[in-house]
DNA sequence: TGGTGATCATAC
DNA sequence: GTATGATCACCA
């Protein structure tokens, strides 16, 4: 019997993740009466939302962990034919205002990544969306080394932002983390701090995990 | 051809 | 616009 209720424990969540392993996306979609789109061009979050429902994550767009009772975040990770991360992973929006005195352990990056259930998904373009299978999901928390790396990048970025340098930041910066636009399009504006210290309108940005970083995580859980 | 900058859907 | 979920697509 499929259970779409929220999992009551970490172990229940993990075993439900394992139950999805080997199933393809058209199976999972038909179980909940969803059509399978031809591609993700017009619905980029489709796979993430499909997996959320199957694992009983709290629906909606609340600014909370996916599994509030367990304090666990759910992230799907697209893999190419070589089982490597195909895309970077969005973490959260970059705070551009009122972040003075914000500590690393209070940051959205730290909170989101403290405990993550990674669900690998085949994303080889040779496969249709419906053919793609779910891989072995696993629960991860950053090692001390990974935490240090994330914190160093985060502190460097937040320093630049508080100095009014948001617009100078490019996706080339950062070892584990990077900052890129996060908006419906390039004309969306939000308020940040300008070079003169005054408020200015700028493109909203997000923190993303580099594929190099997520590939290290995958490597430590799957030994080929 | 891979990574950076841009973009898509949807609820409120 | 901001939050959720991410991948697209162009160019160096």
């Amino acid at each position: 019997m499929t259970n779409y209720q929220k999992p009551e424990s970490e172990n229940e969540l993990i075993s439900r993740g394992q139950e999805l392993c080997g199933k393809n996306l058209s199976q999972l979609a038909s179980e909940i009466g969803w059509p399978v789109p031809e591609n993700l061009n017009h619905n980029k979050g489709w796979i993430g939302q499909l997996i959320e429902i199957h694992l009983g994550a709290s629906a909606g767009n609340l600014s909370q962990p996916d599994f509030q009772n367990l304090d666990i975040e759910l992230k799907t990770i697209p893999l190419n034919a070589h089982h490597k991360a195909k895309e970077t992973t969005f973490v959260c929006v970059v705070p551009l205002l009122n972040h003075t005195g914000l500590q690393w352990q209070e940051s959205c990056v730290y909170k989101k990544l403290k405990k993550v259930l990674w669900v690998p998904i085949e994303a080889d373009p040779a496969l249709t969306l419906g053919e793609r299978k779910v891989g072995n999901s696993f629960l991860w928390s950053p090692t001390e080394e990974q935490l240090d790396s994330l914190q160093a990048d985060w502190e460097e970025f937040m320093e630049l932002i508080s100095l009014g340098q948001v617009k100078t930041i490019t996706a080339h910066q950062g070892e584990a983390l990077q900052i890129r636009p996060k908006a419906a399009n390039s004309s969306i504006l939000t308020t940040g701090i300008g070079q003169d210290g005054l408020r200015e309108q700028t493109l909203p940005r997000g923190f993303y995990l580099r594929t190099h970083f997520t590939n290290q995580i995958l490597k430590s859980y799957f030994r080929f």
Side-chain angles (χ1 to χ4, degrees):
Chain A
M1 222 23 192
T2 311
N3 179 7
Y4 303 123
Q5 301 298 308
K6 71 172 186 185
E8 293 297 341
S9 69
E10 224 171 81
N11 284 339
E12 186 189 344
L13 175 59
I14 291 168
S15 70
R16 284 178 55 185
Q18 288 305 314
E19 285 169 24
L20 298 185
C21 183
K23 292 195 174 184
N24 67 39
L25 300 186
S26 69
Q27 278 179 278
L28 296 182
S30 71
E31 281 178 26
I32 60 172
W34 279 16
V36 179
E38 193 149 315
N39 55 55
L40 298 174
N41 291 19
H42 298 287
N43 201 344
K44 298 176 180 177
W46 186 80
I47 297 175
Q49 287 157 353
L50 178 69
I51 302 299
E52 275 189 349
I53 289 181
H54 278 271
L55 292 179
S58 54
N61 55 342
L62 298 175
S63 174
Q64 297 283 327
D66 294 301
F67 302 98
Q68 295 175 49
N69 54 326
L70 304 175
D71 202 28
I72 292 173
E73 174 74 14
L74 171 63
K75 294 231 164 278
T76 57
I77 176 77
L79 303 185
N80 63 22
H82 305 294
H83 302 281
K84 296 257 192 146
K86 189 183 167 191
E87 296 284 349
T88 54
T89 304
F90 172 69
V91 181
C92 62
V93 169
V94 178
L96 297 180
L97 229 42
N98 302 326
H99 54 263
T100 45
L102 181 65
Q103 296 299 304
W104 162 239
Q105 298 203 338
E106 290 146 15
S107 71
C108 64
V109 177
Y110 178 80
K111 288 189 203 164
K112 287 257 177 181
L113 297 182
K114 201 175 174 203
K115 205 177 265 190
V116 177
L117 182 75
W118 292 98
V119 182
I121 310 280
E122 282 184 325
D124 182 343
L127 301 170
T128 65
L129 246 195
E131 287 170 341
R132 300 180 188 181
K133 289 178 187 166
V134 179
N136 266 301
S137 51
F138 60 92
L139 196 57
W140 165 83
S141 285
T143 63
E144 279 194 34
E145 200 171 274
Q146 291 168 333
L147 223 39
D148 286 347
S149 176
L150 292 168
Q151 179 173 0
D153 284 343
W154 182 84
E155 287 177 347
E156 199 173 317
F157 283 131
M158 294 311 289
E159 172 80 4
L160 288 170
I161 289 163
S162 60
L163 293 174
Q165 302 294 313
V166 198
K167 288 184 173 174
T168 72
I169 297 175
T170 79
H172 295 280
Q173 291 160 266
E175 296 290 329
L177 229 44
Q178 66 179 175
I179 286 183
R180 304 217 306 278
K182 169 62 175 173
N185 59 64
S186 58
S187 59
I188 298 291
L189 292 173
T190 190
T191 306
I193 300 172
Q195 298 205 331
D196 49 12
L198 299 176
R199 292 181 176 212
E200 72 172 4
Q201 293 304 104
T202 185
L203 185 61
R205 326 280 168 125
F207 285 115
Y208 295 79
L209 294 179
R210 290 191 174 280
T211 52
H212 176 72
F213 186 84
T214 44
N215 277 328
Q216 281 192 331
I217 299 174
L218 292 168
K219 224 167 86 182
S220 65
Y221 281 83
F222 302 112
R223 290 165 200 169
F224 295 110

